[in-house]
Amino acid sequence: MREDPAERSSKYLKTTTEALKSLKTRELPVTVSQKHVDRVLELVQGYTRDARHYVESKKPVTSLACIAYAEGLLDAL
C-alpha cells in the first residue's frame, strides 16, 4: 500500500505545530546559548510555514520534506 504524501505531511504539520505551541525552554547549560536555541526555533517555524504553503500548493512531497526537517530540528533540541 502506498502512503499518501499529502496525508502524511498534514499529520506532521499538526504534530509539529502542537509541539511548537506547547514548547517551553528551561535553564540551559553554558555550552548552549538561548540565542542559538531561538535561532533553531526560528528555523523550525520557517520550515513549518513552508510545509503548510506546499500542502496548500498541492506539492505534498516538498511539504513532507519541509516538515521532516522541522521535526528533526525539534528532536535535536
Side-chain angles (χ1 to χ4, degrees), residues 16 20 38-50 66-67 69-75 77:
T16 303
L20 281 169
D38 290 344
R39 177 62 182 134
V40 172
L41 289 174
E42 286 174 16
L43 291 170
V44 171
Q45 291 169 341
Y47 279 120
T48 301
R49 279 191 302 274
D50 290 349
C66 291
I67 202 62
Y69 269 79
E71 186 178 53
L73 288 170
L74 282 176
D75 285 345
L77 288 176

Side-chain angles (χ1 to χ4, degrees), residues 28-66:
L28 300 169
V30 175
T31 58
V32 179
S33 71
Q34 187 65 46
K35 176 182 171 185
H36 288 111
V37 170
D38 290 344
R39 177 62 182 134
V40 172
L41 289 174
E42 286 174 16
L43 291 170
V44 171
Q45 291 169 341
Y47 279 120
T48 301
R49 279 191 302 274
D50 290 349
R52 186 169 290 107
H53 165 78
Y54 286 119
V55 159
E56 292 167 358
S57 299
K58 307 292 186 214
K59 295 181 179 180
V61 174
T62 304
S63 176
L64 186 56
C66 291

Side-chain angles (χ1 to χ4, degrees), residues 14-27:
K14 182 180 177 187
T15 58
T16 303
T17 299
E18 290 303 314
L20 281 169
K21 286 179 185 176
S22 65
L23 184 73
K24 293 181 175 114
T25 60
R26 58 185 170 134
E27 188 68 30

